[in-house]
Amino acid sequence: MAMAISSLLRPWPLAMATLMVLIIQAQGITRHYDFNVQMANVTRLCGTKSIVTVNGQFPGPELIAREGDRVHVRVTNHVAHNMSIHWHGIRQLQTGWADGPAYVTQCPIQTGQTYVYKFTVTGQRGTLWWHAHISWFRATVYGAIVILPKLGVPYPFPAPHEEVPVIFGEWWAADTEDIMSKALKVGGAPNISDAYTINGLPGPLYNCSAKDTFKLKVTPGKTYLLRLINAALNDELFFSVANHTLTVVEVDAVYVKPFTVKTLVISPGMTTNVLLTTKPVYPNANFYMAAAPYSVIRPGTYDNTTVAGILEYHKPGSPSTPSLDKTLPLFKPTLPFFNDTKFVTSFTTKLLSLASKQYPAAVQQSVDRRFFFTIGLGTLPCPKNMTCQGPNGTQFAAAVNNVSLVLPSMALLQSHFTGLSRGVYASNFPAMPLSPFNYTGTPPNNTHVATGTRLLSLPYNTSVELVMQDTSVLGIESHPLHLHGYNFFVVGQGFGNYDPTNDPAKFNLVDPVERNTVGVPAGGWVAIRFLADNPGVWFMHCHLEVHTTWGLRMAWAVQDGTKPNEKLLPPPSDMPKC
Ligand SMILES: *[C@@H]1O[C@H](CO)[C@@H](O)[C@H](O)[C@H]1NC(C)=O
Ligand SMILES: *[C@@H]1O[C@H](CO)[C@@H](O)[C@H](O)[C@H]1NC(C)=O
Ligand SMILES: *[C@@H]1O[C@H](CO)[C@@H](O)[C@H](O)[C@H]1NC(C)=O
Ligand SMILES: *[C@@H]1O[C@H](CO)[C@@H](O)[C@H](O)[C@H]1NC(C)=O
Ligand SMILES: *[C@@H]1O[C@H](CO)[C@@H](O)[C@H](O)[C@H]1NC(C)=O
Ligand SMILES: *[C@@H]1O[C@H](CO)[C@@H](O)[C@H](O)[C@H]1NC(C)=O
Ligand SMILES: *[C@@H]1O[C@H](CO)[C@@H](O)[C@H](O)[C@H]1NC(C)=O
Ligand SMILES: *[C@@H]1O[C@H](CO)[C@@H](O)[C@H](O)[C@H]1NC(C)=O
Ligand SMILES: *[C@@H]1O[C@H](CO)[C@@H](O)[C@H](O)[C@H]1NC(C)=O
Ligand SMILES: *[C@@H]1O[C@H](CO)[C@@H](O)[C@H](O)[C@H]1NC(C)=O
Ligand SMILES: *[C@@H]1O[C@H](CO)[C@@H](O)[C@H](O)[C@H]1NC(C)=O
Ligand SMILES: *[C@@H]1O[C@H](CO)[C@@H](O)[C@H](O)[C@H]1NC(C)=O
Ligand SMILES: [Cu+2]
């Protein structure tokens, strides 16, 4: 084919060059990254801490690719802990072995081992991110994935003057592995964080921290693209920049219909690209950009502090990077109250697919299989040899349809691929609750959940509709649910119990937002649709790490199709072993 085209073109070298450009545009290039997992000493708040990092950087290195590119990331583990990395939101078409969640798609990369993650970026452009997907290591092991549109393809919004990743994180003065394992030992809730961070920096509102402040230096009259990522472990966040507005243009690497807000909400696992246009003339002021949590749980049980960075204008005619002029007034944004669910709902309902000719919303109009999952907390009885600090002397747990997933000691995908599921998992995950109750009313007296390693099997190309219903067991709460391997359309949401008779008529099947992480509203439900066109074992879990740890996680086993491009490829030869 290539020969045939090139032989028609003259002169030959020019034709060759043109062809190369065409091939690069169509097929992309291969980008190589080296990720060395290593310890680093980092000083934050009033102390120094040894943390796990990639290449000694915190946050980790930015991964840049163009839509259509292949990405090879060589991960070598130099620390005394098991490791695995997830490329959050990357579809991983046929390359499920590169997805990353430990004991789901791979065994961990053990100390001294190397694994090369290989995948192609297909049909996505915008911001995603990568993070450790084992234990609580994603507390410090994370970074941005920037996906540029194909060469020569413009953004569907005015080209920004500059693009800046803004990554929210959560910081503990103590070691997060200690906190997690101590909590598990007593069945209680883990200690809350000491600070939030922007690009790893807690900022001026915490002790000893003013020097560790993220500063966005801007010029008047320009537009900046902020690539927001919520990498916090356990907290959804409000974000606002004093005296400026934010125009949302993309979420989870999918363009949306632009809309402008003063404050936005971003949950762990989500990304949001916003345009910030600076004031037309030098304002003689500086401005805080701030984030603080959204949470409906009992005050005192979540980190209620505020992280701030500073938006600083270049003074006309002054050297290009002045240090902060402290004589200037500093304006602060007003964030909604912590439990302002009304605000969150009004924000999330503004999110709609761009649904243009070039970027259509390919929402499934018909459904092959419907599922209804309860999403919520629960308890497990206290083992005889333990004293438990969970509710009424039990252990905290969490479940999907009352099943708290127990991870096996080998990777689910390996046993799925080899057809040796026996003894590793069962394929009987319930399609709906076994004992229905008034999910948002008085919870059942028995709050126990079941444990198990059960998967839900889907034939290739099943059109799925899934309703996720929050429960009031141990109190209502909002849960950001993340699906691996797919984007889905958010076709409906509401409060109270989902009504299968009347709610579907209100679904948006025209321009619903397409994403990979969605909030199950506190005391409400959300309905999503996706086409199971990617064979493999795909994890779905709450992106609040504390809930995932307690078992708010499940996995879909999507079968191969009949054509070669509908099958999971064989595992790479350097696949880590358990
Ligand atoms: C961190 O600090 C400790 C104590 O000063 C030191 O022993 C260690 O080598 C440092 N680690 C790194 C990676 O620099
Ligand atoms: C959790 O916080 C409590 C109270 O501040 C403290 O005593 C305890 O040592 C902390 N636990 C861990 C694992 O850091
Ligand atoms: C800062 O330190 C003081 C004194 O130790 C303490 O009272 C205060 O709560 C701390 N503030 C923050 C934001 O941590
Ligand atoms: C910033 O907003 C505050 C409150 O709305 C207002 O009083 C102030 O004049 C504004 N300042 C600038 C420089 O825009
Ligand atoms: C944060 O929570 C603590 C403990 O419940 C409380 O004392 C404090 O007032 C809260 N701070 C804010 C800003 O709400
Ligand atoms: C939000 O929290 C405040 C203070 O804790 C409480 O008074 C109020 O009822 C809460 N609002 C909602 C909607 O839960
Ligand atoms: C309790 O007993 C189980 C086995 O019955 C054991 O696996 C576990 O480690 C024990 N826990 C403690 C805290 O001793
Ligand atoms: C704990 O016990 C109290 C009193 O018996 C009861 O009201 C409450 O529902 C129980 N909570 C759980 C989580 O079982
Ligand atoms: C469920 O509980 C809520 C809150 O108590 C109540 O308003 C509603 O009527 C109940 N629904 C049913 C079907 O019992
Ligand atoms: C739950 O316990 C309460 C108090 O013990 C009792 O009145 C009620 O009937 C029980 N509800 C159910 C569904 O068992
Ligand atoms: C969940 O499973 C546990 C353990 O099997 C059981 O005791 C409980 O009744 C179940 N709850 C619901 C709501 O199905
Ligand atoms: C690392 O993973 C291997 C394979 O699952 C397991 O056998 C080993 O215990 C793990 N090591 C640590 C330190 O967790
Ligand atoms: Cu959750």
Side-chain angles (χ1 to χ4, degrees):
M1 180 63 181
M3 277 299 291
I5 293 175
S6 59
S7 62
L8 291 175
L9 299 170
R10 296 287 183 272
W12 170 222
L14 193 65
M16 220 26 210
T18 311
L19 188 69
M20 284 306 289
V21 169
L22 286 174
I23 288 173
I24 289 170
Q25 278 180 350
Q27 297 177 357
I29 58 168
T30 305
R31 311 226 178 200
H32 295 269
Y33 286 89
D34 264 309
F35 275 27
N36 287 293
V37 179
Q38 61 194 67
M39 302 304 295
N41 291 328
V42 170
T43 302
R44 291 291 184 276
L45 305 181
C46 312
T48 298
K49 195 179 154 189
S50 176
I51 61 168
V52 181
T53 67
V54 166
N55 300 348
Q57 290 169 244
F58 174 67
E62 187 175 308
L63 205 147
I64 302 177
R66 246 180 222 292
E67 183 186 340
D69 286 351
R70 288 170 300 282
V71 178
H72 291 187
V73 191
R74 184 185 179 80
V75 178
T76 304
N77 183 0
H78 303 282
V79 303
H81 310 281
N82 285 337
M83 194 45 55
S84 82
I85 310 274
H86 170 52
W87 318 95
H88 185 114
I90 296 281
R91 292 260 354 244
Q92 300 291 4
L93 292 161
Q94 294 184 278
T95 54
W97 304 104
D99 192 39
Y103 303 108
V104 178
T105 62
Q106 69 167 92
C107 294
I109 306 168
Q110 298 185 36
T111 307
Q113 291 181 349
T114 295
Y115 177 46
V116 185
Y117 291 87
K118 295 182 178 173
F119 53 87
T120 302
V121 181
T122 307
Q124 299 181 283
R125 70 299 289 175
T127 304
L128 293 173
W129 62 300
W130 56 266
H131 62 80
H133 213 307
I134 181 164
S135 198
W136 278 30
F137 288 108
R138 79 173 178 85
T140 56
V141 179
Y142 61 80
I145 301 179
V146 170
I147 309 173
L148 303 170
K150 286 189 175 176
L151 266 179
V153 177
Y155 291 128
F157 45 81
H161 173 64
E162 218 177 286
E163 305 187 2
V164 189
V166 174
I167 315 180
F168 302 107
E170 208 167 353
W171 183 263
W172 277 258
D175 183 83
T176 39
E177 289 303 298
D178 268 5
I179 285 169
M180 191 269 305
S181 61
K182 280 181 185 143
L184 282 182
K185 255 184 205 134
V186 295
N191 280 1
I192 59 177
S193 53
D194 298 294
Y196 295 103
T197 54
I198 295 179
N199 292 339
L201 303 167
L205 306 182
Y206 298 100
N207 286 334
C208 317
S209 198
K211 64 184 189 312
D212 299 316
T213 300
F214 171 68
K215 287 179 187 159
L216 179 62
K217 296 188 173 158
V218 297
T219 306
K222 302 277 187 204
T223 296
Y224 294 78
L225 177 68
L226 308 187
R227 297 176 174 272
L228 310 179
I229 298 168
N230 188 343
L233 279 185
N234 295 327
D235 292 86
E236 307 187 63
L237 294 167
F238 292 117
F239 174 68
S240 184
V241 182
N243 296 67
H244 291 75
T245 58
L246 304 167
T247 301
V248 179
V249 292
E250 178 246 293
V251 295
D252 296 0
V254 185
Y255 296 130
V256 297
K257 285 194 178 72
F259 64 98
T260 301
V261 291
K262 279 186 160 169
T263 300
L264 58 79
V265 196
I266 183 166
S267 303
M270 294 179 178
T271 59
T272 306
N273 275 6
V274 298
L275 297 174
L276 179 148
T277 299
T278 54
K279 306 216 165 270
V281 294
Y282 180 70
N284 261 305
N286 290 309
F287 306 92
Y288 271 151
M289 44 172 67
Y294 159 62
S295 180
V296 302
I297 65 174
R298 190 161 49 84
T301 62
Y302 61 92
D303 178 352
N304 64 3
T305 63
T306 301
V307 56
I310 297 176
L311 182 72
E312 195 184 321
Y313 278 76
H314 289 299
K315 197 171 189 164
S318 74
S320 58
T321 50
S323 62
L324 184 65
D325 185 346
K326 292 206 172 91
T327 61
L328 292 179
L330 184 57
F331 291 96
K332 298 175 180 152
T334 311
L335 293 170
F337 195 66
F338 299 119
N339 59 4
D340 197 343
T341 299
K342 268 209 179 104
F343 183 93
V344 172
T345 309
S346 86
F347 177 77
T348 54
T349 51
K350 286 189 184 102
L351 290 166
L352 296 170
S353 277
L354 186 56
S356 64
K357 207 170 202 176
Q358 198 177 355
Y359 302 101
V363 55
Q364 290 66 47
Q365 298 296 317
S366 65
V367 171
D368 300 320
R369 292 197 60 189
R370 290 193 158 77
F371 299 97
F372 182 84
F373 292 176
T374 59
I375 302 290
L377 302 190
T379 58
L380 280 170
C382 194
K384 284 207 172 62
N385 59 352
M386 261 169 80
T387 309
C388 291
Q389 290 172 10
N392 290 348
T394 63
Q395 302 182 69
F396 268 115
V400 180
N401 266 352
N402 203 38
V403 181
S404 179
L405 177 79
V406 178
L407 289 173
S409 55
M410 69 177 289
L412 292 169
L413 185 60
Q414 286 172 319
S415 51
H416 165 79
F417 183 76
T418 54
L420 300 175
S421 75
R422 278 179 69 134
V424 178
Y425 65 82
S427 296
N428 59 356
F429 188 88
M432 58 188 66
L434 297 179
S435 341
F437 59 99
N438 186 345
Y439 306 110
T440 50
T442 309
N445 289 351
N446 173 4
T447 59
H448 287 334
V449 298
T451 55
T453 308
R454 305 191 206 166
L455 267 54
L456 217 167
S457 182
L458 289 174
Y460 183 79
N461 251 356
T462 307
S463 172
V464 174
E465 181 180 287
L466 168 65
V467 174
M468 293 184 281
Q469 170 76 58
D470 182 35
T471 76
S472 56
V473 179
L474 305 188
I476 61 165
E477 194 166 343
S478 134
H479 300 276
L481 262 287
H482 171 50
L483 174 61
H484 289 228
Y486 294 92
N487 280 344
F488 48 74
F489 291 94
V490 183
V491 297
Q493 66 172 60
F495 289 96
N497 297 336
Y498 172 67
D499 175 350
T501 311
N502 296 309
D503 285 329
K506 298 174 215 151
F507 286 175
N508 175 1
L509 302 179
V510 178
D511 60 356
V513 68
E514 177 185 348
R515 58 188 325 170
N516 64 57
T517 305
V518 68
V520 177
W525 56 271
V526 67
I528 64 171
R529 285 188 183 185
F530 66 96
L531 183 67
D533 60 355
N534 192 12
V537 173
W538 302 108
F539 208 20
M540 193 176 84
H541 59 95
C542 181
H543 222 283
L544 307 183
E545 209 56 40
V546 53
H547 294 172
T548 316
T549 304
W550 287 341
L552 214 170
R553 50 194 184 187
M554 60 82 67
W556 306 83
V558 179
Q559 307 303 321
D560 279 349
T562 49
K563 301 196 190 95
N565 66 349
E566 299 174 351
K567 292 181 199 299
L568 175 68
L569 299 170
S573 57
D574 60 344
M575 196 73 219
K577 293 185 177 59
C578 280

